[in-house]
């Protein structure tokens, strides 16, 4: 149960399914398409399969998976949707925090403001409730619960990332999928001018008893991982190679792991005059590529002759 073909995860866990659009990246949502195929089955309502739905029977599902997995949490919805009650989200966090199996839980949202509010509430419960053991009171941030936001363009990067970086977590990441335009993450990937620690090390150690370890830090918390990928499915929009290369180069310069998932439905090929490609994108005048729709499998994930499938170092 829970196995997935998502390249950066081993399993999916969906105690909540369903969502509603909040930005341009939602336009061709794969989860909504899949829910329609599952209408009336597997817990998806027959009349409105992508309606936000709670699945309390799935809350302890990862506890039964003995072999450690990278678990994408709520791949078929958004855990922080406004229709999901606070107490249910807190139950999900308790399951992740105290799960005996050594899974990595990757929580991705387009609603970081609510994520921040809920985690602050969760921390308050852990620290302020009498009768808790010392282990329970020190349960957050948890080493194996990673927090991320979807960033499809620069507008969403500017809106969502600053909120994410205010949330205590050992790993913070962004998923630039579908990547719909150039995105500059450099100001969130740099080296701290106060302590000289790079982003890959700074994030896991900065939060200590509610305080930054380096009092001279001139930055907020940093990103520890970047995922990028093109759009898939009917109506998919092509992704320019320079958008992906830029993200990779930003990550390499900062020492941040980079994972390139796929080109999506369109494969970029050197420009030709044969007239059967999409020669230009509005964001890139004078584009030197054809974008030929070949399907995700045939488009592949090679970028400049190699795959990029890096992950954060949990021991770092």
């Amino acid at each position: 149960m829970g196995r997935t073909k998502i390249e950066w995860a081993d399993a999916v866990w969906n105690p909540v399914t369903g969502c509603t659009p909040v930005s341009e990246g939602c336009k061709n949502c794969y989860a909504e398409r899949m829910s329609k195929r599952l209408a009336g089955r597997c817990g998806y309502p027959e009349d409105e399969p992508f309606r936000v739905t709670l699945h309390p029977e799935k809350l302890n599902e990862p506890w039964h998976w003995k072999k450690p997995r990278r678990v994408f949490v709520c791949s078929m919805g958004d855990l922080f949707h406004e229709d999901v009650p606070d107490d249910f989200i807190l139950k999900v966090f308790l399951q992740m925090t105290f799960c005996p199996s050594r899974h990595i839980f990757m929580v991705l949202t387009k609603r970081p403001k609510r994520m921040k509010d809920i985690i602050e509430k969760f921390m308050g419960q852990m620290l302020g409730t009498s009768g808790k053991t010392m282990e329970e009171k020190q349960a957050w941030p948890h080493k194996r619960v990673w927090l991320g936001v979807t960033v499809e363009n620069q507008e969403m990067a500017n809106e969502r990332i600053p909120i994410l970086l205010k949330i205590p977590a050992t790993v913070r990441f962004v998923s630039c999928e579908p990547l719909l335009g150039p995105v500059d993450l450099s100001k969130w990937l740099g080296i701290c001018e106060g302590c000289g620690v790079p982003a890959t090390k700074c994030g896991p150690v900065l939060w200590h008893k509610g305080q930054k370890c380096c009092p001279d830090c001139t930055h907020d918390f940093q990103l520890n991982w970047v995922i990028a990928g093109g759009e898939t499915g009917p109506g998919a929009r092509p992704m320019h190679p320079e958008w992906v290369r830029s993200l990779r180069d930003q990550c390499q310069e900062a020492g941040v792991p980079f994972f390139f998932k796929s080109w999506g439905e369109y494969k970029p090929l050197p420009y030709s005059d044969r007239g059967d490609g999409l020669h230009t994108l509005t964001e890139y005048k004078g584009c030197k590529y054809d974008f030929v729709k070949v399907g995700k499998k045939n488009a592949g994930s090679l970028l400049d002759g190699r795959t990029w499938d890096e992950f954060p170092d949990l021991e770092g």
Side-chain angles (χ1 to χ4, degrees), residues 250-307:
Q250 292 171 48
C251 289
Q252 285 207 299
E253 183 176 354
V256 173
F258 176 71
F259 194 108
F260 180 44
K261 184 178 173 183
S262 80
W263 287 105
E265 296 290 335
Y266 289 86
K267 184 173 184 177
L269 299 172
Y271 179 84
S272 72
D273 294 320
R274 55 180 197 275
D276 57 355
L278 304 176
H279 296 310
T280 61
L281 293 177
T282 56
E283 295 88 345
Y284 277 76
K285 294 181 180 179
C287 176
K288 299 301 181 182
Y289 293 91
D290 289 331
F291 296 88
V292 183
K293 193 171 185 179
V294 296
K296 178 182 175 182
K297 182 177 180 181
N298 291 326
S301 60
L302 289 180
L303 174 60
D304 295 334
R306 58 158 286 188
T307 57

Short mmCIF file of all heavy atoms in Angstrom, two decimals, residues 250-307:
data_model
loop_
_atom_site.label_atom_id
_atom_site.label_comp_id
_atom_site.label_asym_id
_atom_site.label_seq_id
_atom_site.Cartn_x
_atom_site.Cartn_y
_atom_site.Cartn_z
N GLN A 250 21.81 27.78 -9.55
CA GLN A 250 21.65 28.45 -8.25
C GLN A 250 21.92 27.48 -7.11
O GLN A 250 22.59 27.81 -6.12
CB GLN A 250 20.23 29.01 -8.12
CG GLN A 250 19.89 30.16 -9.06
CD GLN A 250 18.42 30.50 -9.00
OE1 GLN A 250 17.83 30.64 -7.93
NE2 GLN A 250 17.78 30.61 -10.17
N CYS A 251 21.38 26.26 -7.23
CA CYS A 251 21.57 25.25 -6.19
C CYS A 251 23.02 24.82 -6.09
O CYS A 251 23.57 24.68 -4.98
CB CYS A 251 20.68 24.04 -6.46
SG CYS A 251 18.92 24.34 -6.20
N GLN A 252 23.67 24.61 -7.22
CA GLN A 252 25.06 24.18 -7.19
C GLN A 252 25.95 25.23 -6.56
O GLN A 252 26.86 24.90 -5.79
CB GLN A 252 25.53 23.86 -8.62
CG GLN A 252 24.99 22.55 -9.15
CD GLN A 252 25.92 21.94 -10.18
OE1 GLN A 252 26.19 22.53 -11.22
NE2 GLN A 252 26.40 20.75 -9.89
N GLU A 253 25.68 26.48 -6.87
CA GLU A 253 26.51 27.55 -6.31
C GLU A 253 26.37 27.62 -4.80
O GLU A 253 27.33 27.89 -4.08
CB GLU A 253 26.10 28.89 -6.93
CG GLU A 253 26.94 30.06 -6.46
CD GLU A 253 26.58 31.36 -7.17
OE1 GLU A 253 25.75 31.32 -8.10
OE2 GLU A 253 27.14 32.40 -6.78
N ALA A 254 25.16 27.32 -4.29
CA ALA A 254 24.91 27.40 -2.85
C ALA A 254 25.13 26.08 -2.13
O ALA A 254 25.04 26.02 -0.90
CB ALA A 254 23.48 27.88 -2.61
N GLY A 255 25.40 25.00 -2.88
CA GLY A 255 25.57 23.69 -2.25
C GLY A 255 24.27 23.07 -1.78
O GLY A 255 24.25 22.29 -0.83
N VAL A 256 23.16 23.41 -2.46
CA VAL A 256 21.84 22.89 -2.10
C VAL A 256 21.47 21.76 -3.06
O VAL A 256 21.58 21.92 -4.27
CB VAL A 256 20.79 24.02 -2.15
CG1 VAL A 256 19.38 23.47 -1.94
CG2 VAL A 256 21.11 25.08 -1.11
N PRO A 257 21.00 20.63 -2.55
CA PRO A 257 20.61 19.51 -3.41
C PRO A 257 19.51 19.92 -4.39
O PRO A 257 18.57 20.64 -4.04
CB PRO A 257 20.11 18.45 -2.44
CG PRO A 257 20.71 18.80 -1.13
CD PRO A 257 20.84 20.29 -1.11
N PHE A 258 19.62 19.40 -5.62
CA PHE A 258 18.68 19.71 -6.70
C PHE A 258 18.14 18.42 -7.28
O PHE A 258 18.92 17.50 -7.58
CB PHE A 258 19.37 20.54 -7.79
CG PHE A 258 18.51 20.84 -8.98
CD1 PHE A 258 17.45 21.72 -8.88
CD2 PHE A 258 18.76 20.24 -10.21
CE1 PHE A 258 16.65 22.00 -9.99
CE2 PHE A 258 17.97 20.52 -11.32
CZ PHE A 258 16.91 21.40 -11.21
N PHE A 259 16.82 18.34 -7.44
CA PHE A 259 16.18 17.16 -8.01
C PHE A 259 15.35 17.59 -9.21
O PHE A 259 14.39 18.35 -9.06
CB PHE A 259 15.28 16.49 -6.96
CG PHE A 259 14.84 15.09 -7.33
CD1 PHE A 259 15.35 13.99 -6.66
CD2 PHE A 259 13.92 14.87 -8.35
CE1 PHE A 259 14.97 12.71 -7.01
CE2 PHE A 259 13.53 13.60 -8.70
CZ PHE A 259 14.05 12.51 -8.03
N PHE A 260 15.74 17.10 -10.40
CA PHE A 260 14.98 17.39 -11.61
C PHE A 260 14.10 16.19 -11.92
O PHE A 260 14.58 15.12 -12.27
CB PHE A 260 15.91 17.70 -12.78
CG PHE A 260 15.18 18.02 -14.05
CD1 PHE A 260 14.07 18.86 -14.04
CD2 PHE A 260 15.60 17.50 -15.26
CE1 PHE A 260 13.39 19.16 -15.21
CE2 PHE A 260 14.94 17.80 -16.43
CZ PHE A 260 13.83 18.63 -16.42
N LYS A 261 12.81 16.39 -11.79
CA LYS A 261 11.85 15.28 -11.90
C LYS A 261 11.62 14.84 -13.35
O LYS A 261 11.76 13.66 -13.67
CB LYS A 261 10.53 15.71 -11.27
CG LYS A 261 9.48 14.62 -11.24
CD LYS A 261 8.22 15.12 -10.55
CE LYS A 261 7.09 14.11 -10.66
NZ LYS A 261 5.84 14.62 -10.06
N SER A 262 11.27 15.77 -14.23
CA SER A 262 11.05 15.42 -15.64
C SER A 262 10.78 16.69 -16.43
O SER A 262 10.49 17.75 -15.87
CB SER A 262 9.86 14.47 -15.80
OG SER A 262 8.63 15.17 -15.76
N TRP A 263 10.86 16.55 -17.77
CA TRP A 263 10.54 17.67 -18.65
C TRP A 263 9.04 17.86 -18.79
O TRP A 263 8.59 18.86 -19.35
CB TRP A 263 11.15 17.44 -20.04
CG TRP A 263 12.62 17.62 -20.06
CD1 TRP A 263 13.58 16.65 -20.12
CD2 TRP A 263 13.33 18.87 -20.01
NE1 TRP A 263 14.84 17.21 -20.11
CE2 TRP A 263 14.72 18.57 -20.04
CE3 TRP A 263 12.93 20.20 -19.93
CZ2 TRP A 263 15.69 19.56 -20.00
CZ3 TRP A 263 13.91 21.19 -19.89
CH2 TRP A 263 15.28 20.86 -19.93
N GLY A 264 8.24 16.92 -18.33
CA GLY A 264 6.81 17.00 -18.53
C GLY A 264 6.43 16.41 -19.88
O GLY A 264 7.06 15.46 -20.36
N GLU A 265 5.41 16.95 -20.49
CA GLU A 265 4.92 16.41 -21.76
C GLU A 265 5.78 16.82 -22.95
O GLU A 265 5.78 16.14 -23.99
CB GLU A 265 3.48 16.90 -22.02
CG GLU A 265 2.47 16.42 -21.00
CD GLU A 265 2.19 14.93 -21.10
OE1 GLU A 265 2.36 14.35 -22.19
OE2 GLU A 265 1.80 14.35 -20.07
N TYR A 266 6.52 17.91 -22.82
CA TYR A 266 7.26 18.48 -23.95
C TYR A 266 8.77 18.27 -23.81
O TYR A 266 9.34 18.53 -22.76
CB TYR A 266 6.98 19.97 -24.08
CG TYR A 266 5.60 20.30 -24.56
CD1 TYR A 266 4.55 20.41 -23.65
CD2 TYR A 266 5.33 20.50 -25.91
CE1 TYR A 266 3.27 20.71 -24.08
CE2 TYR A 266 4.05 20.81 -26.35
CZ TYR A 266 3.02 20.91 -25.43
OH TYR A 266 1.76 21.21 -25.85
N LYS A 267 9.37 17.83 -24.89
CA LYS A 267 10.82 17.68 -24.91
C LYS A 267 11.42 18.84 -25.70
O LYS A 267 11.03 19.10 -26.85
CB LYS A 267 11.21 16.36 -25.57
CG LYS A 267 12.71 16.08 -25.54
CD LYS A 267 13.02 14.68 -26.05
CE LYS A 267 14.50 14.38 -25.93
NZ LYS A 267 14.80 12.98 -26.36
N PRO A 268 12.38 19.57 -25.12
CA PRO A 268 13.02 20.65 -25.86
C PRO A 268 14.09 20.10 -26.79
O PRO A 268 14.92 19.28 -26.40
CB PRO A 268 13.64 21.50 -24.74
CG PRO A 268 13.90 20.54 -23.63
CD PRO A 268 12.85 19.48 -23.72
N LEU A 269 14.06 20.54 -28.03
CA LEU A 269 15.04 20.11 -29.02
C LEU A 269 15.66 21.35 -29.66
O LEU A 269 15.03 22.42 -29.68
CB LEU A 269 14.38 19.25 -30.11
CG LEU A 269 13.72 17.96 -29.63
CD1 LEU A 269 12.93 17.32 -30.78
CD2 LEU A 269 14.76 16.99 -29.10
N PRO A 270 16.90 21.22 -30.18
CA PRO A 270 17.50 22.38 -30.83
C PRO A 270 16.58 22.95 -31.91
O PRO A 270 15.90 22.20 -32.62
CB PRO A 270 18.80 21.81 -31.43
CG PRO A 270 19.11 20.64 -30.57
CD PRO A 270 17.78 20.06 -30.18
N TYR A 271 16.57 24.25 -32.00
CA TYR A 271 15.68 24.94 -32.94
C TYR A 271 15.91 24.46 -34.37
O TYR A 271 17.03 24.26 -34.83
CB TYR A 271 15.92 26.45 -32.85
CG TYR A 271 15.06 27.25 -33.80
CD1 TYR A 271 13.78 27.61 -33.43
CD2 TYR A 271 15.54 27.63 -35.04
CE1 TYR A 271 12.98 28.34 -34.29
CE2 TYR A 271 14.75 28.37 -35.91
CZ TYR A 271 13.47 28.71 -35.54
OH TYR A 271 12.69 29.44 -36.39
N SER A 272 14.79 24.29 -35.11
CA SER A 272 14.87 23.96 -36.54
C SER A 272 13.82 24.77 -37.28
O SER A 272 13.00 25.46 -36.67
CB SER A 272 14.64 22.46 -36.76
OG SER A 272 13.28 22.14 -36.54
N ASP A 273 13.83 24.65 -38.58
CA ASP A 273 12.86 25.40 -39.40
C ASP A 273 11.75 24.50 -39.92
O ASP A 273 11.04 24.87 -40.84
CB ASP A 273 13.58 26.04 -40.59
CG ASP A 273 14.56 27.10 -40.14
OD1 ASP A 273 14.21 27.84 -39.21
OD2 ASP A 273 15.66 27.18 -40.72
N ARG A 274 11.58 23.32 -39.31
CA ARG A 274 10.61 22.40 -39.88
C ARG A 274 9.18 22.77 -39.52
O ARG A 274 8.23 22.25 -40.09
CB ARG A 274 10.90 20.96 -39.46
CG ARG A 274 10.98 20.73 -37.98
CD ARG A 274 11.28 19.25 -37.68
NE ARG A 274 10.98 18.95 -36.29
CZ ARG A 274 11.81 19.13 -35.29
NH1 ARG A 274 13.02 19.62 -35.53
NH2 ARG A 274 11.46 18.86 -34.06
N GLY A 275 8.99 23.64 -38.53
CA GLY A 275 7.67 24.19 -38.29
C GLY A 275 6.72 23.35 -37.48
O GLY A 275 5.53 23.68 -37.39
N ASP A 276 7.18 22.26 -36.86
CA ASP A 276 6.25 21.42 -36.12
C ASP A 276 6.45 21.51 -34.61
O ASP A 276 5.93 20.70 -33.85
CB ASP A 276 6.35 19.95 -36.55
CG ASP A 276 7.77 19.40 -36.40
OD1 ASP A 276 8.67 20.19 -36.05
OD2 ASP A 276 7.97 18.20 -36.65
N GLY A 277 7.23 22.48 -34.17
CA GLY A 277 7.44 22.67 -32.74
C GLY A 277 6.87 24.00 -32.29
O GLY A 277 6.33 24.77 -33.08
N LEU A 278 6.97 24.28 -31.02
CA LEU A 278 6.59 25.58 -30.48
C LEU A 278 7.88 26.38 -30.34
O LEU A 278 8.61 26.21 -29.38
CB LEU A 278 5.90 25.42 -29.13
CG LEU A 278 4.66 24.52 -29.12
CD1 LEU A 278 4.13 24.39 -27.69
CD2 LEU A 278 3.58 25.07 -30.02
N HIS A 279 8.16 27.23 -31.28
CA HIS A 279 9.48 27.84 -31.35
C HIS A 279 9.72 28.94 -30.32
O HIS A 279 10.85 29.28 -30.03
CB HIS A 279 9.71 28.43 -32.75
CG HIS A 279 9.73 27.39 -33.82
ND1 HIS A 279 10.49 26.26 -33.75
CD2 HIS A 279 9.06 27.31 -34.99
CE1 HIS A 279 10.30 25.53 -34.84
NE2 HIS A 279 9.44 26.14 -35.60
N THR A 280 8.68 29.49 -29.76
CA THR A 280 8.88 30.58 -28.82
C THR A 280 7.97 30.41 -27.61
O THR A 280 6.90 29.81 -27.68
CB THR A 280 8.57 31.95 -29.47
OG1 THR A 280 7.21 31.97 -29.88
CG2 THR A 280 9.49 32.20 -30.65
N LEU A 281 8.41 30.96 -26.51
CA LEU A 281 7.57 31.13 -25.33
C LEU A 281 7.53 32.62 -25.06
O LEU A 281 8.52 33.33 -25.29
CB LEU A 281 8.17 30.40 -24.12
CG LEU A 281 8.20 28.86 -24.20
CD1 LEU A 281 8.88 28.31 -22.96
CD2 LEU A 281 6.79 28.30 -24.31
N THR A 282 6.43 33.10 -24.58
CA THR A 282 6.29 34.55 -24.40
C THR A 282 7.34 35.11 -23.46
O THR A 282 7.76 36.25 -23.59
CB THR A 282 4.88 34.88 -23.86
OG1 THR A 282 4.66 34.15 -22.64
CG2 THR A 282 3.81 34.48 -24.86
N GLU A 283 7.79 34.27 -22.49
CA GLU A 283 8.79 34.76 -21.54
C GLU A 283 10.19 34.83 -22.14
O GLU A 283 11.06 35.47 -21.59
CB GLU A 283 8.82 33.84 -20.31
CG GLU A 283 7.54 33.85 -19.48
CD GLU A 283 6.53 32.82 -19.98
OE1 GLU A 283 6.70 32.30 -21.09
OE2 GLU A 283 5.59 32.54 -19.24
N TYR A 284 10.40 34.13 -23.24
CA TYR A 284 11.73 34.06 -23.84
C TYR A 284 11.63 34.35 -25.33
O TYR A 284 11.46 33.45 -26.14
CB TYR A 284 12.36 32.68 -23.62
CG TYR A 284 13.03 32.52 -22.27
CD1 TYR A 284 12.28 32.34 -21.13
CD2 TYR A 284 14.42 32.57 -22.16
CE1 TYR A 284 12.89 32.21 -19.88
CE2 TYR A 284 15.04 32.44 -20.94
CZ TYR A 284 14.27 32.26 -19.80
OH TYR A 284 14.87 32.14 -18.57
N LYS A 285 11.77 35.61 -25.70
CA LYS A 285 11.75 35.97 -27.12
C LYS A 285 13.03 35.46 -27.78
O LYS A 285 14.09 35.44 -27.19
CB LYS A 285 11.62 37.47 -27.27
CG LYS A 285 10.28 38.02 -26.77
CD LYS A 285 10.18 39.52 -26.95
CE LYS A 285 8.84 40.03 -26.44
NZ LYS A 285 8.70 41.49 -26.58
N GLY A 286 12.90 35.05 -29.02
CA GLY A 286 14.05 34.53 -29.72
C GLY A 286 14.47 33.16 -29.23
O GLY A 286 15.65 32.81 -29.29
N CYS A 287 13.52 32.39 -28.74
CA CYS A 287 13.80 31.07 -28.18
C CYS A 287 14.51 30.19 -29.21
O CYS A 287 14.14 30.16 -30.38
CB CYS A 287 12.50 30.42 -27.75
SG CYS A 287 12.65 28.75 -27.15
N LYS A 288 15.53 29.44 -28.79
CA LYS A 288 16.32 28.60 -29.68
C LYS A 288 15.98 27.12 -29.54
O LYS A 288 16.81 26.25 -29.80
CB LYS A 288 17.81 28.81 -29.40
CG LYS A 288 18.29 30.24 -29.62
CD LYS A 288 18.05 30.70 -31.06
CE LYS A 288 18.56 32.11 -31.28
NZ LYS A 288 18.29 32.60 -32.66
N TYR A 289 14.75 26.85 -29.12
CA TYR A 289 14.33 25.45 -28.95
C TYR A 289 12.98 25.22 -29.61
O TYR A 289 12.12 26.10 -29.66
CB TYR A 289 14.21 25.08 -27.47
CG TYR A 289 15.53 25.06 -26.75
CD1 TYR A 289 16.00 26.20 -26.10
CD2 TYR A 289 16.29 23.89 -26.69
CE1 TYR A 289 17.21 26.19 -25.44
CE2 TYR A 289 17.50 23.87 -26.02
CZ TYR A 289 17.95 25.02 -25.40
OH TYR A 289 19.16 25.01 -24.74
N ASP A 290 12.80 24.00 -30.11
CA ASP A 290 11.47 23.48 -30.42
C ASP A 290 10.98 22.76 -29.18
O ASP A 290 11.76 22.09 -28.50
CB ASP A 290 11.53 22.46 -31.56
CG ASP A 290 11.82 23.10 -32.90
OD1 ASP A 290 11.45 24.25 -33.09
OD2 ASP A 290 12.42 22.42 -33.74
N PHE A 291 9.70 22.88 -28.90
CA PHE A 291 9.10 22.14 -27.80
C PHE A 291 8.10 21.16 -28.40
O PHE A 291 7.01 21.55 -28.80
CB PHE A 291 8.45 23.09 -26.79
CG PHE A 291 9.45 23.98 -26.12
CD1 PHE A 291 9.81 25.19 -26.68
CD2 PHE A 291 10.05 23.59 -24.95
CE1 PHE A 291 10.74 26.01 -26.08
CE2 PHE A 291 10.99 24.40 -24.33
CZ PHE A 291 11.34 25.62 -24.90
N VAL A 292 8.51 19.91 -28.47
CA VAL A 292 7.73 18.90 -29.16
C VAL A 292 7.04 18.02 -28.13
O VAL A 292 7.68 17.47 -27.22
CB VAL A 292 8.62 18.04 -30.08
CG1 VAL A 292 7.79 17.04 -30.83
CG2 VAL A 292 9.37 18.95 -31.04
N LYS A 293 5.72 17.86 -28.26
CA LYS A 293 4.96 17.07 -27.32
C LYS A 293 5.15 15.59 -27.59
O LYS A 293 4.64 15.05 -28.58
CB LYS A 293 3.48 17.44 -27.38
CG LYS A 293 2.67 16.90 -26.21
CD LYS A 293 1.25 17.47 -26.21
CE LYS A 293 0.50 17.02 -24.96
NZ LYS A 293 -0.87 17.60 -24.92
N VAL A 294 5.87 14.92 -26.68
CA VAL A 294 6.18 13.50 -26.86
C VAL A 294 5.70 12.65 -25.70
O VAL A 294 5.82 11.43 -25.72
CB VAL A 294 7.70 13.30 -27.04
CG1 VAL A 294 8.20 13.98 -28.31
CG2 VAL A 294 8.48 13.79 -25.82
N GLY A 295 5.16 13.28 -24.63
CA GLY A 295 4.74 12.54 -23.45
C GLY A 295 5.85 12.47 -22.43
O GLY A 295 7.05 12.50 -22.76
N LYS A 296 5.47 12.36 -21.16
CA LYS A 296 6.44 12.40 -20.07
C LYS A 296 7.51 11.32 -20.18
O LYS A 296 8.69 11.57 -19.98
CB LYS A 296 5.72 12.29 -18.73
CG LYS A 296 6.65 12.28 -17.53
CD LYS A 296 5.90 12.11 -16.23
CE LYS A 296 6.87 11.98 -15.06
NZ LYS A 296 6.16 11.77 -13.78
N LYS A 297 7.10 10.11 -20.50
CA LYS A 297 8.06 9.00 -20.55
C LYS A 297 9.13 9.24 -21.59
O LYS A 297 10.32 9.04 -21.34
CB LYS A 297 7.32 7.69 -20.83
CG LYS A 297 8.23 6.47 -20.85
CD LYS A 297 7.43 5.20 -21.06
CE LYS A 297 8.35 3.98 -21.07
NZ LYS A 297 7.57 2.71 -21.29
N ASN A 298 8.74 9.70 -22.77
CA ASN A 298 9.71 9.94 -23.84
C ASN A 298 10.51 11.23 -23.62
O ASN A 298 11.65 11.33 -24.08
CB ASN A 298 9.00 9.99 -25.19
CG ASN A 298 8.45 8.64 -25.61
OD1 ASN A 298 9.06 7.60 -25.32
ND2 ASN A 298 7.31 8.62 -26.27
N ALA A 299 9.92 12.19 -22.94
CA ALA A 299 10.65 13.44 -22.68
C ALA A 299 11.80 13.20 -21.71
O ALA A 299 12.87 13.79 -21.83
CB ALA A 299 9.70 14.50 -22.14
N GLY A 300 11.57 12.33 -20.73
CA GLY A 300 12.64 11.97 -19.80
C GLY A 300 13.02 13.08 -18.84
O GLY A 300 12.32 14.08 -18.68
N SER A 301 14.19 12.89 -18.21
CA SER A 301 14.65 13.84 -17.19
C SER A 301 16.12 14.18 -17.32
O SER A 301 16.73 14.67 -16.37
CB SER A 301 14.39 13.27 -15.78
OG SER A 301 15.08 12.03 -15.62
N LEU A 302 16.70 13.95 -18.48
CA LEU A 302 18.10 14.30 -18.68
C LEU A 302 18.24 15.81 -18.85
O LEU A 302 17.52 16.43 -19.64
CB LEU A 302 18.67 13.61 -19.91
CG LEU A 302 18.89 12.09 -19.83
CD1 LEU A 302 19.46 11.57 -21.14
CD2 LEU A 302 19.83 11.74 -18.67
N LEU A 303 19.15 16.39 -18.11
CA LEU A 303 19.46 17.81 -18.22
C LEU A 303 20.95 17.94 -18.46
O LEU A 303 21.76 17.56 -17.61
CB LEU A 303 19.06 18.55 -16.94
CG LEU A 303 19.44 20.03 -16.84
CD1 LEU A 303 18.80 20.83 -17.97
CD2 LEU A 303 19.06 20.60 -15.48
N ASP A 304 21.30 18.43 -19.65
CA ASP A 304 22.71 18.54 -20.04
C ASP A 304 23.43 17.20 -19.90
O ASP A 304 24.55 17.12 -19.38
CB ASP A 304 23.41 19.63 -19.23
CG ASP A 304 22.84 21.02 -19.53
OD1 ASP A 304 22.32 21.20 -20.65
OD2 ASP A 304 22.90 21.89 -18.65
N GLY A 305 22.76 16.14 -20.35
CA GLY A 305 23.41 14.84 -20.46
C GLY A 305 23.40 13.98 -19.22
O GLY A 305 23.99 12.90 -19.21
N ARG A 306 22.74 14.42 -18.13
CA ARG A 306 22.72 13.61 -16.92
C ARG A 306 21.43 13.84 -16.13
O ARG A 306 20.71 14.80 -16.36
CB ARG A 306 23.93 13.91 -16.03
CG ARG A 306 24.04 15.36 -15.58
CD ARG A 306 24.87 15.52 -14.32
NE ARG A 306 24.16 15.07 -13.12
CZ ARG A 306 24.61 15.25 -11.88
NH1 ARG A 306 25.77 15.85 -11.69
NH2 ARG A 306 23.91 14.83 -10.84
N THR A 307 21.18 12.93 -15.21
CA THR A 307 20.04 13.10 -14.31
C THR A 307 20.50 13.85 -13.06
O THR A 307 21.67 13.80 -12.67
CB THR A 307 19.45 11.74 -13.89
OG1 THR A 307 20.47 10.94 -13.29
CG2 THR A 307 18.88 11.01 -15.11
#
